[in-house]
């Protein structure tokens, strides 16, 4: 009997060791990826539902693994967060996105804004405000064109601290969007207190607009509430003409999703969207 449980113990340790080893390997690969500059930013356009014009580009990170090709962020962001590498990669993404944005401006391409995703850990980090300040530098355009996307769940975790940080960021002229709105536990009473500019409705609500009985009413309520708080509303994950049409009827400001475009490489974004758009 004792032997059987001993075997089981051994079995579990072997399994655990294997997964720990796999994680360590991935961690090392990610460290190297940072050194070798294998991370890339793809951009997905947001467009105005009123005019159809391009308004903004959201930077979405990928890892260009030479062995396997592009790896989506869902596969490596959690490891970056676990290991603390997210600070360095996050800093890189912010600087890279701003650099692309300023190049677009200097080249006289369309005046879009640039949106960068922030990990919950970054906002909580002591040096974060100073880092943004440094990345922006003295360029007033950089601050005015930059939008940070921060998930709702993070803000709600520590509302007091979040409000103070968000205020400091906005004081620089940078705008703030609440990402994945509706998926967290936010109480609506907090929304009025948050120093934010934009609310991004999560894709799950966009889907339910046409599939669930209360979906349409829910999205309508979110949009009206946001507007009453003077917030801009962006719907994410818009894939169908029907969704786009309904969002337009509901007075949603902007949309983003495969219907208009998937995220594309910087080169494709420039050729397809910036060169063609009026300034
Ligand atoms: P997110 O910020 O909510 O980004 C939207 C995700 O939905 C993106 O996935 C995008 O490619 C995808 N998407 C856009 N339109 C559609 C659509 O119409 N249908 C469907 N099914 N999907 C759509 P992606 O690029 O894999 O990014 C996943 C998440 O990774 C992002 O979610 C964001 O939370 C995180 N992320 C991406 N880049 C960064 C980054 O630089 N830093 C940090 N901290 N997180 C990032
Ligand atoms: Ca986002
Ligand atoms: Ca989102
Ligand atoms: Ca989402």
């Amino acid at each position: 009997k004792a032997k059987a449980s001993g075997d089981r113990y051994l079995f579990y340790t072997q399994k655990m060791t294997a997964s720990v080893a796999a994680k360590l390997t991935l961690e090392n690969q990610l460290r190297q990826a940072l050194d070798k500059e294998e991370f890339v930013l793809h951009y997905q356009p947001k467009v105005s539902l009123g005019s159809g014009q391009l308004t903004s580009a959201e930077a979405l990170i990928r890892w260009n693994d030479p062995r396997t090709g592009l790896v989506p962020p869902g596969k490596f962001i959690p490891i970056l967060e676990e290991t603390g590498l997210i600070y360095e990669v996050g800093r890189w993404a912010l600087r890279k996105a701003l650099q692309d944005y300023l190049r677009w401006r200097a080249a006289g391409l369309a005046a879009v804004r640039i949106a960068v995703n922030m990990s919950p850990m970054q906002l909580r980090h002591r040096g974060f405000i100073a880092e943004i300040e440094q990345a922006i530098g003295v360029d007033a355009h950089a601050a005015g064109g930059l939008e940070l996307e921060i998930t709702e769940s993070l803000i709600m975790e520590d509302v007091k601290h979040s409000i103070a940080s968000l205020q400091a960021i906005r004081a620089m002229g940078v705008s703030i969007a609440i990402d994945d709105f509706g998926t967290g536990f936010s109480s609506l009473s907090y929304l009025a207190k948050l120093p934010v500019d934009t609310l991004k409705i999560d894709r799950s609500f966009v889907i339910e607009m046409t599939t669930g009985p209360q979906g349409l009413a829910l999205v309508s309520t979110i949009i009206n509430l946001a507007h009453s708080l003077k917030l801009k509303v962006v719907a994410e994950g818009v894939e169908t003409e029907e969704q786009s049409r309904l969002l337009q009827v509901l007075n949603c400001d902007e949309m983003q999703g495969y219907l208009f475009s998937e995220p594309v490489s910087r080169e494709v974004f420039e050729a397809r969207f910036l060169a063609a758009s009026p300034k």
Side-chain angles (χ1 to χ4, degrees):
K1 198 175 173 218
K3 186 167 182 288
S5 76
D7 283 351
R8 195 169 303 149
Y9 174 73
L10 186 66
F11 173 71
Y12 282 128
T13 14
Q14 274 170 346
K15 243 172 91 174
M16 254 172 56
T17 312
S19 81
V20 167
K23 212 181 240 174
L24 271 175
T25 308
L26 183 54
E27 183 186 333
N28 280 329
Q29 286 171 344
L30 288 167
R31 258 180 230 287
Q32 284 177 24
L34 189 61
D35 288 340
K36 294 195 224 151
E37 297 180 55
E38 288 170 358
F39 290 107
V40 286
L41 295 181
H42 278 198
Y43 291 102
Q44 187 181 36
K46 302 178 196 175
V47 291
S48 159
L49 274 158
S51 67
Q53 281 201 356
L54 183 69
T55 57
S56 170
E58 178 177 358
L60 293 156
I61 198 168
R62 277 99 183 80
W63 170 26
N64 197 357
D65 183 348
R67 284 153 306 204
T68 60
L70 285 185
V71 183
K75 291 250 167 71
F76 61 86
I77 297 259
I79 314 264
L80 294 180
E81 290 179 337
E82 254 175 64
T83 54
L85 282 171
I86 191 70
Y87 300 118
E88 211 173 322
V89 176
R91 203 156 40 230
W92 172 84
L94 177 64
R95 286 183 174 270
K96 176 72 178 134
L98 274 172
Q99 188 188 324
D100 287 344
Y101 166 77
L102 289 172
R103 266 192 43 249
W104 296 340
R105 279 199 73 102
L109 298 167
V112 291
R113 303 161 64 84
I114 192 104
V116 183
N117 289 285
M118 290 293 130
S119 157
M121 287 173 67
Q122 289 177 274
L123 187 71
R124 263 182 258 137
H125 193 241
R126 275 172 288 106
F128 185 54
I129 309 284
E131 257 169 42
I132 297 173
E133 229 158 19
Q134 271 173 21
I136 290 168
V138 291
D139 197 320
H141 291 311
L146 176 65
E147 186 163 56
L148 300 184
E149 298 197 0
I150 299 167
T151 56
E152 173 193 21
S153 53
L154 151 76
I155 296 172
M156 291 306 148
E157 244 168 56
D158 185 352
V159 176
K160 255 200 197 133
H161 176 253
S162 296
I163 289 179
S165 303
L166 297 179
Q167 268 165 350
I169 294 167
R170 277 179 105 211
M172 297 179 222
V174 175
S175 37
I176 312 269
I178 301 188
D179 210 347
D180 299 346
F181 183 78
T183 57
F185 298 99
S186 67
S187 109
L188 291 181
S189 62
Y190 274 132
L191 195 56
K193 294 186 192 134
L194 293 178
V196 299
D197 306 274
T198 302
L199 196 151
K200 293 189 80 176
I201 301 179
D202 190 64
R203 185 170 82 91
S204 54
F205 294 96
V206 173
I207 292 171
E208 280 185 32
M209 243 182 1
T210 50
T211 56
Q214 267 106 40
L216 194 64
L218 194 56
V219 171
S220 169
T221 303
I222 294 174
I223 292 172
N224 291 334
L225 173 80
H227 282 165
S228 73
L229 296 170
K230 305 263 186 297
L231 302 179
K232 188 174 77 184
V233 189
V234 180
E236 56 177 34
V238 178
E239 293 183 353
T240 68
E241 290 287 355
E242 188 188 9
Q243 290 167 344
S244 160
R245 191 179 49 77
L246 286 171
L247 288 163
Q248 202 169 354
V249 171
L250 296 180
N251 264 324
C252 185
D253 302 288
E254 295 177 17
M255 69 164 182
Q256 187 178 12
Y258 295 169
L259 175 66
F260 189 75
S261 172
E262 291 180 15
V264 292
S265 70
R266 174 180 60 74
E267 293 82 358
V268 171
F269 189 84
E270 288 173 1
R272 194 176 292 170
F273 301 111
L274 293 182
S277 250
K279 279 166 230 164

